Amino acid sequence: MSNTHICPTCDEEITLPEGTVAAELITCDECETMLEVVGGPDGLTLTEAPEVEEDWGE
Amino acid sequence: MMRLGLFHSTIRAEEKLLISSAKELGVEVKLYDIRKINLDPESFVVDFDVALERSVSTTKGRHLVRFLEGLDVPVLNSSSVATICEDKFLTAMVLHKANLRQPKFAMVFDEQHAKEVINDWGGYPVVTKPTIGSWGRLISKINDDDALEAIIDHKMVLGSPEQKAFFIQEFIEKPGRDIRAFVVGGKVIAAIYRDSTHWITNTARGGQASNCPLTDELQEICQRSSEAVGGGILAMDLFESPQGLMINEINHTMEFRNSEKPTGVSISSEIINYCIESQNVKN
């Protein structure tokens, strides 16, 4: 399965590193948008990461 | 082989480190995206030995832990530890009860009483912070009446009921840094200094991490604080004051990506080992 994807914001080609898992956050090198790796029946896809919410943190 | 249920939302650098360390330590990791599972006690299948809660959302993490405990599943951290640590006022009260050194603090519900407290403490500056929150968000250093009035007025008009509860802390002059200590199972495993020219020193806000030696004083206050809140996997923020170390906050789903390199300690491995020990205690 290809590990090359298209940034949903700027259409830049993004190659996911080996070991990337669903729910991981990555940043597009071109537009610097934070993206979330989404798992599905057809493998991994990319979507814009959710906005930080008030209760996020450690 | 132990099976670890790692419950996450978005996967951060910390979760990647935990997955990698678990693999090295021969632990099977089962990943659960909290956002995509049903917390239905009739249908949920437990196919792991110990659960590790790593949600970036406090709310989702809280519900998950209570759910798993209801199924009699061992989970780290426990709901009792999380309940204390997610609430800064409750944490401060628990530390007060245990007679641990911390900044003066008070909870007030309007401007008049805020001014009374600040006057009792000898004046400004003070710090206000939400009781639930992280990464230094909405923490304010207040230097005078004008700033206090502005912040309280904004929260009274625009805030939720929770934001109309004002947790006020004495401002502690720091030597350009504070300390973040990592405590796992009551043992202080590593600590960093967080240097910053800004009074907020969170590494999430640009503070620079360097190794902090584990002195007897640091170990004692951290161990006592850990005991006070119920133990588990904790990160503690401390100030160096003229009176000695002060405990400021305790985090129960800690981030540590910037701390493994300067300390030379695999914090992720320590956490996984603690999960293994917890399973052994249960058995």
Side-chain angles (χ1 to χ4, degrees):
Chain A
M1 194 173 292
S2 169
N3 62 349
T4 301
H5 301 263
I6 300 296
C7 172
T9 302
C10 72
D11 285 343
E12 177 73 5
E13 209 169 75
I14 295 174
T15 303
L16 296 178
E18 198 174 327
T20 301
V21 294
E24 196 172 328
L25 296 176
I26 62 164
T27 304
C28 173
D29 289 337
E30 180 66 21
C31 67
E32 298 185 343
T33 300
M34 186 76 84
L35 303 169
E36 180 175 348
V37 180
V38 179
D42 299 325
L44 301 177
T45 55
L46 293 175
T47 185
E48 284 189 30
E51 294 281 328
V52 172
E53 294 193 68
E54 195 180 326
D55 73 333
W56 279 30
E58 47 175 348
Chain B
M1 178 185 276
M2 189 187 94
R3 300 165 304 165
L4 177 70
L6 199 160
F7 288 80
H8 62 86
S9 43
T10 51
I11 288 188
R12 299 162 286 183
E14 285 78 10
E15 284 70 58
K16 294 284 281 186
L17 288 166
L18 287 164
I19 293 166
S20 171
S21 291
K23 196 177 284 182
E24 284 172 17
L25 291 164
V27 171
E28 182 186 352
V29 176
K30 291 177 174 284
L31 294 173
Y32 294 87
D33 190 332
I34 299 174
R35 301 166 298 177
K36 295 177 179 173
I37 55 175
N38 300 329
L39 303 185
D40 176 347
E42 298 297 326
S43 61
F44 187 84
V45 176
V46 178
D47 61 352
F48 51 86
D49 303 303
V50 176
L52 179 62
E53 186 269 301
R54 291 290 312 172
S55 170
V56 71
S57 158
T58 305
T59 308
K60 292 183 177 72
R62 180 195 311 128
H63 289 303
L64 171 86
V65 170
R66 289 173 181 175
F67 173 76
L68 292 176
E69 286 181 345
L71 297 180
D72 206 21
V73 172
V75 53
L76 298 166
N77 284 315
S78 70
S79 62
S80 60
V81 171
T83 299
I84 294 169
C85 294
E86 73 180 31
D87 184 320
K88 294 180 175 67
F89 183 55
L90 182 55
T91 303
M93 287 308 306
V94 168
L95 296 173
H96 175 79
K97 194 173 178 183
N99 202 26
L100 283 148
R101 188 185 295 122
Q102 62 179 321
K104 290 177 187 169
F105 68 94
M107 172 67 78
V108 296
F109 302 109
D110 62 26
E111 182 187 306
Q112 179 196 332
H113 292 91
K115 286 180 175 173
E116 275 181 23
V117 163
I118 294 164
N119 191 50
D120 288 346
W121 290 350
Y124 296 95
V126 295
V127 171
T128 62
K129 52 175 80 169
T131 53
I132 295 178
S134 197
W135 297 339
R137 277 192 311 262
L138 292 178
I139 294 183
S140 305
K141 181 185 173 194
I142 300 179
N143 295 324
D144 55 30
D145 275 349
D146 288 347
L148 179 78
E149 288 164 14
I151 283 174
I152 290 188
D153 193 38
H154 274 76
K155 291 192 181 220
M156 285 302 223
V157 174
L158 301 172
S160 63
E162 192 58 42
Q163 288 176 334
K164 292 169 190 168
F166 302 104
F167 179 56
I168 305 178
Q169 254 188 349
E170 169 192 21
F171 177 76
I172 301 297
E173 282 291 351
K174 295 173 286 189
R177 68 185 188 193
D178 69 1
I179 295 171
R180 158 65 60 105
F182 300 93
V183 186
V184 178
K187 182 183 162 202
V188 187
I189 58 164
I192 56 166
Y193 290 119
R194 300 188 299 188
D195 286 85
S196 176
T197 53
H198 195 276
W199 68 276
I200 296 176
T201 50
N202 299 48
T203 52
R205 298 278 292 264
Q208 294 299 308
S210 61
N211 186 49
C212 170
L214 306 183
T215 62
D216 291 344
E217 184 190 11
L218 179 65
Q219 296 200 48
E220 192 206 338
I221 191 169
C222 288
Q223 284 162 354
R224 287 182 55 210
S225 299
S226 171
E227 196 175 326
V229 300
I233 301 162
L234 303 167
M236 303 187 179
D237 297 341
L238 302 107
F239 298 146
E240 298 160 279
S241 79
Q243 295 79 38
L245 290 176
M246 280 184 174
I247 180 88
N248 179 38
E249 291 182 9
I250 303 178
N251 295 285
H252 66 288
T253 49
M254 64 205 194
E255 293 176 340
F256 51 84
R257 73 187 71 175
N258 300 315
S259 303
E260 291 203 339
K261 196 172 174 187
T263 61
V265 174
S266 174
I267 295 168
S268 49
S269 297
E270 295 280 352
I271 292 171
I272 298 296
N273 274 323
Y274 182 63
C275 293
I276 296 170
E277 285 167 25
S278 299
Q279 187 215 6
N280 292 340
V281 168
K282 181 181 174 257
N283 294 337

